[in-house]
């Protein structure tokens, strides 16, 4: 150890050199040790300070593995054992509370967080958690808009929506799961049909997209008969 005011004496157990402040224990010693430093000035004034040292084994940190959350959530909490260390974020826009592990969700993407126990000491132990923030609105695709002729109305089945397993809604939908639509019920020229899907990773994380089905009127031929 090194004191601010040199020339004092280090005392108590585990001090093997009282002048240099050499501290040494056997390999099996665990616990708390109080070490004292006594300093006397040239005028005879004396002061003493106590330094408390805790010796422990390196504790392995076990954080949860890859985690997913929905971008519509305001926060999510990262879990770890033991839970008396500190969290930090690695270059991302979703900050984390140092002591609680609560992440404020602002943006979708993949982010990393580091949990440290006894940082800056020889007992330091760390673990890393990757958080995937999902934006289902960006991942949900109902397909392309299309048009039908007014005289070709009937029942059609929409295909190509992703991800699979979503449900359709809107005017004319007769089977929400299969995407079956009876276009004969359309009352407008442009009809909006919605497709909503849930994340396979985060329950309750929903995304929605839509397509527009346009009903084109059948052109009527107009002509004049010219006198010969």
């Amino acid at each position: 150890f090194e004191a601010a005011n040199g020339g004092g004496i280090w005392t108590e157990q585990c001090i093997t050199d009282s002048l240099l402040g050499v501290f040494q224990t056997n390999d099996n010693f665990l616990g708390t040790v109080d070490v004292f430093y006594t300093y006397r000035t040239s005028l005879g004034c004396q002061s003493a300070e106590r330094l408390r040292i805790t010796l422990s084994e390196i504790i392995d940190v076990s954080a949860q593995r890859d985690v997913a959350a929905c971008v519509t959530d305001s926060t999510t909490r990262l879990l770890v054992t033991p839970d008396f260390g500190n969290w930090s974020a690695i270059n991302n826009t979703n900050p984390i509370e140092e002591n609680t592990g609560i992440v404020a969700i602002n943006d979708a993407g993949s982010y990393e967080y580091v949990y440290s126990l006894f940082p800056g000491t020889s007992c330091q132990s760390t673990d890393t958690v990757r958080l995937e923030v999902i934006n289902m609105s960006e991942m949900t695709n109902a397909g392309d808009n299309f048009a039908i002729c007014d005289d070709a109305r009937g029942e059609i089945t929409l295909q190509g929506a992703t991800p699979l397993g979503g449900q359709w809604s809107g005017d004319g939908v007769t089977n929400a799961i299969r995407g079956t639509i009876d276009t004969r019920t359309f009352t407008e020229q442009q009809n909006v049909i919605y497709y909503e899907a849930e994340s396979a990773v985060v329950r309750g994380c929903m995304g929605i997209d839509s397509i527009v089905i346009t009903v084109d009127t059948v052109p009527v031929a107009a002509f004049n008969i010219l006198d010969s």
Side-chain angles (χ1 to χ4, degrees):
F1 302 113
E2 183 176 349
N5 296 320
I9 301 296
W10 293 93
T11 56
E12 285 303 330
Q13 57 180 324
C14 303
I15 293 295
T16 59
D17 190 315
S18 60
L19 296 179
L20 296 178
V22 177
F23 179 87
Q24 184 175 357
T25 65
N26 61 58
D27 294 337
N28 297 321
F29 181 84
L30 298 174
T32 300
V33 178
D34 287 334
V35 175
F36 295 89
Y37 181 75
T38 303
Y39 176 77
R40 185 184 299 274
T41 68
S42 58
L43 299 177
C45 298
Q46 178 177 302
S47 65
E49 293 289 338
R50 182 184 69 176
L51 176 65
R52 174 159 290 180
I53 304 168
T54 300
L55 302 174
S56 67
E57 296 177 337
I58 296 177
I59 301 174
D60 290 331
V61 172
S62 179
Q64 61 189 127
R65 292 303 87 199
D66 293 350
V67 185
C70 192
V71 73
T72 56
D73 296 333
S74 58
T75 62
T76 190
R77 185 173 184 176
L78 305 183
L79 302 178
V80 66
T81 303
D83 61 356
F84 52 85
N86 298 313
W87 287 97
S88 60
I90 301 178
N91 297 327
N92 71 66
T93 56
N94 297 329
I96 189 169
E97 291 184 3
E98 179 181 11
N99 298 322
T100 65
I102 296 176
V103 179
I105 297 177
N106 297 315
D107 301 300
S110 183
Y111 305 97
E112 287 189 346
Y113 299 87
V114 176
Y115 183 79
S116 299
L117 201 62
F118 305 123
T121 72
S122 58
C123 295
Q124 177 172 318
S125 182
T126 62
D127 201 0
T128 302
V129 177
R130 182 181 297 275
L131 173 65
E132 188 75 23
V133 181
I134 297 172
N135 187 342
M136 279 301 294
S137 293
E138 294 180 351
M139 302 171 64
T140 304
N141 187 353
D144 297 326
N145 302 333
F146 64 93
I148 60 173
C149 291
D150 190 30
D151 63 350
R153 295 186 187 218
E155 193 172 81
I156 60 175
T157 299
L158 301 176
Q159 298 179 348
T162 56
L164 298 176
Q167 293 196 27
W168 295 92
S169 63
D171 292 341
V173 174
T174 58
N175 189 313
I177 296 176
R178 294 183 59 189
T180 305
I181 298 175
D182 188 350
T183 60
R184 291 168 295 192
T185 65
F186 286 171
T187 59
E188 304 291 338
Q189 184 179 15
Q190 292 189 325
N191 302 272
V192 181
I193 308 298
Y194 299 93
Y195 182 75
E196 187 173 28
E198 183 179 26
S199 168
V201 179
V202 182
R203 188 172 182 178
C205 187
M206 309 299 295
I208 191 167
D209 192 26
S210 64
I211 60 172
V212 176
I213 303 175
T214 301
V215 179
D216 283 341
T217 57
V218 177
V220 178
F223 55 89
N224 294 320
I225 299 176
L226 300 177
D227 293 335
S228 57

